[in-house]
Protein backbone atom coordinates (compact mmCIF):
# COMPACT_ATOMS: atom_id res chain seq x y z
CA UNK A 1 0.00 0.00 0.00
CA UNK A 2 1.20 3.49 -0.78
CA UNK A 3 2.72 5.43 2.09
CA UNK A 4 0.35 8.38 1.68
CA UNK A 5 -2.70 6.13 1.96
CA UNK A 6 -1.31 4.48 5.08
CA UNK A 7 -0.70 7.86 6.71
CA UNK A 8 -4.25 8.96 5.93
CA UNK A 9 -5.63 5.75 7.40
CA UNK A 10 -3.49 6.24 10.50
CA UNK A 11 -4.64 9.84 10.92
CA UNK A 12 -8.27 8.84 10.39
CA UNK A 13 -7.94 6.15 13.05
CA UNK A 14 -6.48 8.74 15.42
CA UNK A 15 -9.37 11.10 14.63
CA UNK A 16 -11.85 8.34 15.57
CA UNK A 17 -10.04 7.60 18.84
CA UNK A 18 -9.87 11.29 19.72
CA UNK A 19 -13.58 11.63 18.94
CA UNK A 20 -14.36 9.04 21.63
CA UNK A 21 -11.87 10.55 24.07
CA UNK A 22 -13.45 13.97 23.56
CA UNK A 23 -16.92 12.72 24.48
CA UNK A 24 -15.65 10.45 27.23
CA UNK A 25 -14.07 13.46 28.93
CA UNK A 26 -17.26 15.44 28.42
CA UNK A 27 -19.66 12.97 30.03
CA UNK A 28 -17.42 11.08 32.45
CA UNK A 29 -15.53 13.20 34.95
CA UNK A 30 -13.43 10.17 35.90
CA UNK A 31 -11.89 10.34 32.41
CA UNK A 32 -10.55 13.88 32.77
CA UNK A 33 -6.97 12.62 32.98
CA UNK A 34 -7.14 11.01 29.52
CA UNK A 35 -5.18 13.02 26.97
CA UNK A 36 -5.86 13.28 23.26
CA UNK A 37 -3.70 11.18 20.94
CA UNK A 38 -1.13 13.48 19.35
CA UNK A 39 2.59 13.54 18.52
CA UNK A 40 3.14 15.07 21.94
CA UNK A 41 1.39 12.28 23.84
CA UNK A 42 2.14 9.26 21.62
CA UNK A 43 5.43 8.63 19.82
CA UNK A 44 4.56 5.37 18.08
CA UNK A 45 1.41 3.76 16.69
CA UNK A 46 0.78 0.12 15.86
CA UNK A 47 -1.48 -0.14 12.82
CA UNK A 48 -2.99 -3.39 11.57
CA UNK A 49 -5.38 -3.59 8.62
CA UNK A 50 -7.38 -6.75 7.97
CA UNK A 51 -9.59 -7.80 5.08
CA UNK A 52 -11.76 -10.89 5.67
CA UNK A 53 -9.50 -12.03 8.49
CA UNK A 54 -6.43 -11.64 6.29
CA UNK A 55 -3.79 -9.15 7.42
CA UNK A 56 -2.94 -6.85 4.52
CA UNK A 57 -0.86 -4.37 6.53
CA UNK A 58 0.82 -4.48 9.91
CA UNK A 59 3.52 -2.17 11.21
CA UNK A 60 4.75 0.04 14.01
CA UNK A 61 4.73 3.64 12.84
CA UNK A 62 6.37 6.71 14.29
CA UNK A 63 3.79 9.36 15.09
CA UNK A 64 5.46 12.71 14.57
CA UNK A 65 4.39 16.06 13.28
CA UNK A 66 5.91 17.23 10.03
CA UNK A 67 6.07 20.99 10.42
CA UNK A 68 4.23 22.75 7.58
CA UNK A 69 6.70 24.10 5.01
CA UNK A 70 5.80 27.76 5.16
CA UNK A 71 5.53 27.80 8.93
CA UNK A 72 9.17 26.65 9.01
CA UNK A 73 10.21 29.21 6.38
CA UNK A 74 8.47 32.03 8.25
CA UNK A 75 10.10 30.94 11.51
CA UNK A 76 13.53 30.87 9.85
CA UNK A 77 13.02 34.35 8.37
CA UNK A 78 11.93 35.72 11.75
CA UNK A 79 15.19 34.43 13.21
CA UNK A 80 17.53 35.80 10.57
CA UNK A 81 20.23 38.25 11.75
CA UNK A 82 18.78 41.72 12.19
CA UNK A 83 15.18 40.54 12.43
CA UNK A 84 15.02 41.46 16.12
CA UNK A 85 15.95 45.04 15.29
CA UNK A 86 12.94 45.21 12.99
CA UNK A 87 10.67 43.89 15.73
CA UNK A 88 12.07 46.43 18.16
CA UNK A 89 11.11 49.21 15.76
CA UNK A 90 7.63 47.71 15.36
CA UNK A 91 7.11 47.62 19.11
CA UNK A 92 8.38 51.18 19.51
CA UNK A 93 5.87 52.34 16.91
CA UNK A 94 3.06 50.84 18.96
CA UNK A 95 2.15 48.16 16.41
CA UNK A 96 1.14 44.71 17.61
CA UNK A 97 2.92 41.42 17.03
CA UNK A 98 -0.11 39.47 18.19
CA UNK A 99 -0.40 37.62 14.87
CA UNK A 100 3.03 36.04 15.41
CA UNK A 101 2.12 34.88 18.92
CA UNK A 102 -1.15 33.44 17.65
CA UNK A 103 0.53 31.68 14.74
CA UNK A 104 2.88 29.89 17.12
CA UNK A 105 -0.01 29.11 19.48
CA UNK A 106 -1.69 27.51 16.45
CA UNK A 107 1.38 25.37 15.83
CA UNK A 108 1.58 24.18 19.46
CA UNK A 109 -2.15 23.37 19.41
CA UNK A 110 -1.62 21.34 16.23
CA UNK A 111 1.30 19.49 17.84
CA UNK A 112 -0.87 18.62 20.84
CA UNK A 113 -3.82 17.44 18.75
CA UNK A 114 -6.07 20.42 19.55
CA UNK A 115 -7.07 20.99 15.93
CA UNK A 116 -10.04 23.29 16.54
CA UNK A 117 -7.95 25.54 18.73
CA UNK A 118 -5.22 25.61 16.10
CA UNK A 119 -7.68 26.74 13.44
CA UNK A 120 -9.22 29.40 15.69
CA UNK A 121 -5.75 30.78 16.44
CA UNK A 122 -4.94 30.82 12.73
CA UNK A 123 -8.13 32.74 11.95
CA UNK A 124 -7.47 35.25 14.73
CA UNK A 125 -3.84 35.68 13.68
CA UNK A 126 -5.01 36.48 10.17
CA UNK A 127 -7.49 39.11 11.32
CA UNK A 128 -4.94 40.59 13.71
CA UNK A 129 -2.61 41.41 10.82
CA UNK A 130 -5.16 42.02 8.05
CA UNK A 131 -7.58 44.38 9.78
CA UNK A 132 -5.09 47.23 10.42
CA UNK A 133 -3.86 46.97 6.82
CA UNK A 134 -7.37 47.03 5.37
CA UNK A 135 -8.44 49.79 7.77
CA UNK A 136 -5.60 52.07 6.69
CA UNK A 137 -6.41 51.49 3.02
CA UNK A 138 -10.14 51.97 3.49
CA UNK A 139 -9.67 55.22 5.41
CA UNK A 140 -7.88 56.71 2.40
CA UNK A 141 -10.85 55.83 0.17
CA UNK A 142 -13.38 57.71 2.30
CA UNK A 143 -14.07 61.41 1.84
CA UNK A 144 -14.16 62.30 5.56
CA UNK A 145 -11.68 59.62 6.61
CA UNK A 146 -13.30 59.11 10.00
CA UNK A 147 -12.18 56.12 12.10
CA UNK A 148 -15.77 55.42 13.20
CA UNK A 149 -16.88 55.13 9.58
CA UNK A 150 -14.03 52.75 8.82
CA UNK A 151 -14.90 50.57 11.82
CA UNK A 152 -18.57 50.45 10.84
CA UNK A 153 -17.80 49.47 7.25
CA UNK A 154 -15.45 46.71 8.38
CA UNK A 155 -17.93 45.42 10.94
CA UNK A 156 -20.62 45.13 8.26
CA UNK A 157 -18.29 43.52 5.70
CA UNK A 158 -18.14 39.68 5.66
CA UNK A 159 -14.71 38.21 6.30
CA UNK A 160 -14.60 36.58 2.85
CA UNK A 161 -15.08 40.01 1.24
CA UNK A 162 -12.30 41.45 3.39
CA UNK A 163 -10.03 38.74 2.01
CA UNK A 164 -11.14 39.65 -1.51
CA UNK A 165 -10.25 43.30 -0.86
CA UNK A 166 -6.86 42.35 0.54
CA UNK A 167 -5.92 40.13 -2.40
CA UNK A 168 -7.55 42.31 -5.05
CA UNK A 169 -6.83 45.93 -4.13
CA UNK A 170 -5.21 46.51 -0.76
CA UNK A 171 -2.20 44.22 -1.24
CA UNK A 172 -2.87 42.97 -4.75
CA UNK A 173 0.71 43.76 -5.81
CA UNK A 174 1.90 41.01 -3.46
CA UNK A 175 -1.06 38.63 -3.19
CA UNK A 176 -3.02 38.66 -6.45
CA UNK A 177 -0.89 35.87 -7.94
CA UNK A 178 -1.77 33.55 -5.04
CA UNK A 179 -5.46 32.69 -5.62
CA UNK A 180 -5.11 29.34 -3.84
CA UNK A 181 -4.13 31.18 -0.66
CA UNK A 182 -7.27 33.26 -0.95
CA UNK A 183 -9.49 30.21 -1.39
CA UNK A 184 -7.84 28.43 1.54
CA UNK A 185 -8.39 31.47 3.75
CA UNK A 186 -12.06 31.52 2.79
CA UNK A 187 -12.31 27.82 3.59
CA UNK A 188 -10.59 28.47 6.93
CA UNK A 189 -13.18 31.15 7.73
CA UNK A 190 -16.02 28.72 6.92
CA UNK A 191 -14.41 26.09 9.14
CA UNK A 192 -13.91 28.64 11.91
CA UNK A 193 -17.60 29.56 11.79
CA UNK A 194 -18.64 25.90 11.89
CA UNK A 195 -16.44 25.37 14.96
CA UNK A 196 -17.79 28.43 16.78
CA UNK A 197 -21.45 28.19 15.81
CA UNK A 198 -22.08 24.46 15.27
CA UNK A 199 -19.57 22.66 17.50
CA UNK A 200 -17.79 21.17 14.47
CA UNK A 201 -14.75 19.01 15.23
CA UNK A 202 -12.01 19.52 12.64
CA UNK A 203 -9.05 17.29 11.83
CA UNK A 204 -5.30 17.30 11.47
CA UNK A 205 -5.16 17.76 7.70
CA UNK A 206 -7.29 20.91 7.79
CA UNK A 207 -5.36 22.33 10.72
CA UNK A 208 -2.07 21.74 8.88
CA UNK A 209 -3.41 23.26 5.66
CA UNK A 210 -4.67 26.42 7.37
CA UNK A 211 -1.49 26.86 9.42
CA UNK A 212 0.57 26.56 6.24
CA UNK A 213 -1.73 28.98 4.41
CA UNK A 214 -1.69 31.62 7.11
CA UNK A 215 2.06 31.31 7.64
CA UNK A 216 2.74 31.87 3.94
CA UNK A 217 0.32 34.81 3.70
CA UNK A 218 1.75 36.51 6.77
CA UNK A 219 5.28 35.88 5.52
CA UNK A 220 4.49 37.54 2.17
CA UNK A 221 2.96 40.58 3.86
CA UNK A 222 5.48 40.82 6.68
CA UNK A 223 8.51 40.79 4.40
CA UNK A 224 6.87 42.37 1.32
CA UNK A 225 7.91 39.37 -0.73
CA UNK A 226 7.78 39.75 -4.49
CA UNK A 227 5.42 37.33 -6.29
CA UNK A 228 6.90 34.00 -7.34
CA UNK A 229 7.00 33.10 -11.03
CA UNK A 230 5.05 29.92 -10.31
CA UNK A 231 3.37 30.40 -6.93
CA UNK A 232 2.55 27.28 -4.98
CA UNK A 233 -0.07 26.52 -2.36
Amino acid sequence: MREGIIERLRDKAVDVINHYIYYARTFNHYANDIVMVSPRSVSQIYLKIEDQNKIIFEDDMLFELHKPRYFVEYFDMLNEPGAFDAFEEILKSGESLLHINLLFDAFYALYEGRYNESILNCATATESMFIPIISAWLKKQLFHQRDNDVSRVLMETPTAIKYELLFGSVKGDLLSVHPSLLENLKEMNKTRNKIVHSGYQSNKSKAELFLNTVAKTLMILHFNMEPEEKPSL
Side-chain angles (χ1 to χ4, degrees):
M1 299 179 70
R2 290 186 300 173
E3 183 177 347
I5 295 176
I6 290 296
E7 288 185 353
R8 288 198 295 273
L9 287 172
R10 178 200 64 193
D11 290 345
K12 189 63 178 178
V14 170
D15 285 343
V16 171
I17 293 170
N18 281 339
H19 175 83
Y20 282 102
I21 291 175
Y22 175 81
Y23 284 101
R25 296 193 308 187
T26 301
F27 296 106
N28 181 359
H29 65 274
Y30 294 110
N32 59 9
D33 59 339
I34 301 177
V35 297
M36 304 287 266
V37 177
S38 73
R40 182 163 189 169
S41 61
V42 174
S43 61
Q44 198 166 17
I45 288 177
Y46 171 68
L47 181 64
K48 181 169 74 171
I49 302 172
E50 294 184 2
D51 182 21
Q52 298 180 349
N53 297 322
K54 179 182 178 181
I55 298 175
I56 58 177
F57 179 84
E58 185 177 18
D59 197 11
D60 286 313
M61 307 174 65
L62 291 177
F63 192 44
E64 53 189 349
L65 178 66
H66 300 289
K67 297 177 183 177
R69 170 188 170 184
Y70 291 107
F71 175 80
V72 174
E73 288 189 15
Y74 189 35
F75 177 81
D76 289 342
M77 293 179 75
L78 291 175
N79 284 276
E80 287 182 356
F84 182 79
D85 295 337
F87 290 135
E88 189 175 20
E89 291 302 317
I90 292 173
L91 293 172
K92 285 180 179 178
S93 68
E95 295 182 41
S96 173
L97 294 177
L98 178 62
H99 61 279
I100 297 177
N101 296 113
L102 289 168
L103 187 70
F104 280 83
D105 285 344
F107 169 73
Y108 295 129
L110 172 63
Y111 178 64
E112 294 169 0
R114 295 178 283 113
Y115 304 132
N116 278 11
E117 186 177 335
S118 178
I119 292 169
L120 293 177
N121 279 326
C122 280
T124 308
T126 305
E127 290 195 15
S128 176
M129 187 171 191
F130 286 10
I131 294 302
I133 294 173
I134 297 174
S135 296
W137 175 86
L138 183 58
K139 188 173 182 179
K140 293 179 181 178
Q141 315 308 313
L142 299 179
F143 180 78
H144 291 295
Q145 298 189 352
R146 289 190 288 253
D147 289 335
N148 287 343
D149 291 340
V150 172
S151 298
R152 186 169 64 252
V153 170
L154 288 176
M155 187 176 298
E156 296 173 355
T157 303
T159 299
I161 302 302
K162 293 174 188 172
Y163 292 158
E164 287 279 353
L165 279 173
L166 188 75
F167 278 71
S169 296
V170 183
K171 289 292 182 179
D173 57 331
L174 300 176
L175 295 173
S176 62
V177 297
H178 299 283
S180 58
L181 289 179
L182 174 59
E183 296 311 311
N184 287 344
L185 289 172
K186 289 181 179 179
E187 181 62 27
M188 179 184 71
N189 183 59
K190 290 180 183 178
T191 304
R192 177 261 177 205
N193 289 340
K194 287 167 63 178
I195 291 171
V196 172
H197 300 298
S198 305
Y200 173 74
Q201 288 296 311
S202 194
N203 54 47
K204 178 184 175 184
S205 61
K206 281 196 173 183
E208 283 183 336
L209 171 65
F210 298 148
L211 177 60
N212 212 29
T213 297
V214 173
K216 182 170 184 180
T217 308
L218 297 184
M219 181 171 65
I220 291 170
L221 293 175
H222 195 139
F223 294 100
N224 293 314
M225 296 175 64
E226 292 295 328
E228 303 169 358
E229 292 184 5
K230 295 182 179 180
S232 58
L233 189 65

